[in-house]
Amino acid sequence: MGKVRTRKVKVYAKEIIERFPSEVSISFEENKKLVGTLLKGQVSKKLRNRVAGYLTALAKKLEEKQKKES
């Protein structure tokens, strides 16, 4: 079974990945810093970490997809 993520987490993550695809990485710590700077004052620590985790998962999926296509 997968993790349950709220709509807000998915919306923030998809918006970030569309606007800043080159800055999103497979490292949770780097994504946490990115989310912290982009959404400063808008989100709590808990929400920031959830968005960063979801970004990391999406980045890993995209990387796997690109490896399979090559």
Side-chain angles (χ1 to χ4, degrees):
M1 294 195 46
K3 294 184 178 182
V4 176
R5 294 187 174 91
T6 62
R7 188 170 201 276
K8 188 179 261 188
V9 170
K10 292 178 182 182
V11 167
Y12 280 137
K14 287 179 184 178
E15 185 177 322
I16 290 171
I17 211 162
E18 286 175 2
R19 293 177 68 192
F20 307 99
S22 60
E23 295 183 32
V24 176
S25 70
I26 58 170
S27 167
F28 171 76
E29 293 298 323
E30 290 178 24
N31 288 336
K32 186 166 75 167
K33 290 177 187 174
L34 175 66
V35 172
T37 57
L38 294 176
L39 302 177
K40 189 170 185 124
Q42 294 179 353
V43 296
S44 64
K45 269 193 219 177
K46 186 175 182 177
L47 185 57
R48 178 198 66 196
N49 288 341
R50 288 181 186 253
V51 172
Y54 189 55
L55 277 175
T56 304
L58 288 176
K60 287 180 180 179
K61 283 183 184 178
L62 287 173
E63 187 177 88
E64 280 293 318
K65 189 176 181 181
Q66 289 174 351
K67 284 183 180 179
K68 286 184 179 181
E69 289 177 356
S70 300

